[in-house]
Amino acid sequence: MQTYLVGGAVRDRLLGLPPGDRDFVVVGETPEAMHARGFKTVGRDFPVFLHPKTGEEYALARTERKSGRGHRGFVVDAHPDVTLEQDLERRDFTINAIAQAEDGTLVDPFGGERDLKARVLRHVGAAFSEDPLRVLRAARFMARFGSLGFTVAPETMALMRGMVESGELAELVPERVWQELVRALASATPSAFLQTLRSCGALGVVLPEVDALYGVPQRAEYHPEVDTGVHIELVCDMAAMIAPGDDVVGFAALVHDLGKALTPADVLPRHVGHEHAGVAPLRALCERLKVPRQHADLGRIACREHLNVHRLFELRDRTVHELLVRCDAFRQPERLAQLALVCEADKRGRAGLQDSAYPQREELLRLLAAAQSVRAADVAREGLEGPALGEALAQARIRAIRAARATPVPDDEDA
């Protein structure tokens, strides 16, 4: 059986990155032959099998022919006559079209190793334009590899612009758009995802609420970068740095300022009330992309509350308690911790302020811990129930917050 290691496993090894899942392509075989060797079928749209011992995926070499619009409109041919080169030719980028034989020899008909060394993301062939999802994949790969110095080849960018202008991106199903977005947000430089999509005109198609932020000015004394779109890029990258791999925090960082696109022109560069104005476009984005509830909830809370967290040291004790209640922090303390990370990313995601301190994060969690120390059983007394018990609990928690604020936080040297 002729088997070759393909795709990301080969690419990442050549880049010196930690190995991930391994995928194999099998040449010259049939599904029946694979079953006879104990492989189990898992692919619905094309023949993919699981190895009987390792559980790794083995796919028959195949070609794909465009048969309709969208990323699903393809006819697959996995005949035993399909060669390895034909299978590699259908792939998206040259850096993903490298195969490795069992003896370690590389099969690289499209110059993928050359492009890895040059740090270039280049499409394999004209068939690239047949799948609109590849525009998002290009942007997502830039989010992952942009920090390594990768750029998109000019001819690939031109092809992507043509794909956007053709209108085919409208055929993408929300789940696939979300899948690419969430993987980009968990990458090292999400800003490269936004920049790549914007460069080819796709950002306005898939994330119009975010695209609308570019060119919207902010007050330079608070935002030296001025442009709100640039601010969002900085915030997303900061979120990726302080909460690596946390796509929930990343999503909230992306959407926390959507309301600034709705600020009337005669008010700019001030954005009074943007935190409340952003809830409606956020809701539209979440409904369109079928965003999971966990992401949508943190996005909404970050949009609505980030200014309150920034002003934490100015808030009254009761107002702090009300903030905790609105965030459902007593039942979901981990969400408050994520909100604090988003707010830190917002503060430090500004030109020249990336090293700024953000004591509000630790203070918010400290005050929550103080309030959590008060239990309903601690304040219950005979005959007290319902709203009266709730108010007594709230008052006790407010007193705990007040006491915590009156207690100095010990320095590291004293701790």
Side-chain angles (χ1 to χ4, degrees):
M1 188 169 68
Q2 298 182 59
T3 63
Y4 298 85
L5 184 66
V6 294
V10 181
R11 177 199 66 221
D12 292 350
R13 181 183 68 80
L14 293 173
L15 283 172
L17 299 176
D21 294 336
R22 301 198 308 167
D23 295 314
F24 296 85
V25 65
V26 182
V27 178
E29 296 291 346
T30 64
E32 293 75 18
M34 298 296 287
H35 292 150
R37 289 185 171 90
F39 286 80
K40 296 182 179 180
T41 303
V42 293
R44 292 186 305 171
D45 300 327
F46 45 82
V48 178
F49 306 85
L50 294 183
H51 191 282
K53 293 183 179 179
T54 67
E56 293 175 317
E57 289 192 358
Y58 285 67
L60 297 185
R62 67 184 188 271
T63 61
E64 296 174 347
R65 177 173 52 83
K66 186 73 169 174
S67 62
R69 290 179 66 82
H71 72 282
R72 291 180 173 175
F74 290 89
V75 173
V76 174
D77 177 13
H79 192 274
D81 290 341
V82 175
T83 66
L84 175 62
E85 288 73 14
Q86 287 175 313
D87 182 90
L88 295 176
E89 188 176 12
R90 68 172 175 79
R91 297 174 185 269
D92 48 11
F93 303 105
T94 60
I95 64 172
N96 295 330
I98 310 171
Q100 179 180 310
E102 293 180 358
D103 64 1
T105 303
L106 294 181
V107 181
D108 182 19
F110 304 104
E113 189 175 16
R114 174 203 62 209
D115 285 341
L116 281 174
K117 292 177 180 177
R119 298 295 194 258
V120 173
L121 192 66
R122 189 191 316 276
H123 65 285
V124 171
F128 178 92
S129 63
E130 295 177 349
D131 186 355
L133 186 65
R134 288 176 168 176
V135 173
L136 273 71
R137 282 175 59 82
R140 193 248 298 171
F141 277 120
M142 286 301 297
R144 182 179 178 190
F145 297 129
S147 59
L148 299 179
F150 272 79
T151 60
V152 179
E155 62 270 28
T156 300
M157 183 61 73
L159 195 59
M160 290 163 58
R161 290 194 188 98
M163 295 167 69
V164 173
E165 292 169 0
S166 75
E168 276 222 17
L169 266 65
E171 304 291 330
L172 292 174
V173 296
E175 291 83 358
R176 296 305 300 272
V177 175
W178 172 251
Q179 184 180 45
E180 296 299 325
L181 171 59
V182 78
R183 293 176 73 179
L185 292 172
S187 298
T189 50
S191 61
F193 178 82
L194 301 176
Q195 292 165 2
T196 303
L197 291 182
R198 190 160 180 261
S199 293
C200 68
L203 189 61
V205 178
V206 297
L207 291 171
E209 299 86 356
V210 176
D211 187 59
L213 295 173
Y214 286 88
V216 176
Q218 304 164 108
R219 294 174 65 181
E221 62 266 37
Y222 299 115
H223 289 275
E225 71 283 353
V226 179
D227 190 301
T228 306
V230 174
H231 170 56
I232 293 301
E233 292 178 4
L234 294 171
V235 175
C236 287
D237 284 356
M238 182 58 65
M241 186 179 80
I242 65 177
D246 193 331
D247 51 74
V248 180
V249 169
F251 177 73
L254 175 70
V255 301
H256 80 282
D257 263 353
L258 291 185
K260 288 183 177 179
L262 303 177
T263 300
D266 61 340
V267 178
L268 295 173
R270 300 175 68 242
H271 293 278
V272 179
H274 76 274
E275 66 275 23
H276 301 294
V279 174
L282 173 59
R283 184 183 301 114
L285 186 157
C286 290
E287 290 177 354
R288 186 179 68 255
L289 295 186
K290 300 181 181 180
V291 173
R293 181 173 180 177
Q294 183 183 15
H295 295 75
D297 285 349
L298 184 64
R300 184 185 68 255
I301 290 170
C303 183
R304 190 184 63 208
E305 306 290 354
H306 64 278
L307 292 187
N308 289 324
V309 177
H310 291 336
R311 295 191 292 253
L312 180 64
F313 293 105
E314 305 167 22
L315 301 182
R316 295 178 300 172
D317 303 322
R318 174 177 287 277
T319 306
V320 171
H321 180 263
E322 291 170 350
L323 170 64
L324 297 178
V325 171
R326 287 196 304 273
C327 295
D328 200 16
F330 296 107
R331 292 194 305 169
Q332 301 186 65
E334 68 286 347
R335 189 161 72 184
L336 193 77
Q338 288 180 311
L339 171 65
L341 285 166
V342 176
C343 294
E344 179 176 350
D346 178 31
K347 174 63 182 296
R348 296 173 60 190
R350 309 180 190 199
L353 301 181
Q354 61 273 11
D355 296 323
S356 299
Y358 193 72
Q360 291 93 327
R361 177 160 73 95
E362 290 186 2
E363 179 70 359
L364 182 63
L365 300 183
R366 190 175 77 91
L367 297 181
L368 171 62
Q372 283 178 312
S373 67
V374 180
R375 306 294 179 183
D378 300 334
V379 298
R381 55 180 182 269
E382 188 175 352
L384 199 60
E385 59 184 19
L389 177 59
E391 179 59 25
L393 179 60
Q395 291 296 336
R397 285 174 167 170
I398 291 169
R399 288 194 295 273
I401 290 171
R402 183 177 304 119
R405 292 177 122 177
T407 303
V409 180
D411 294 333
D412 291 339
E413 297 180 358
D414 300 330

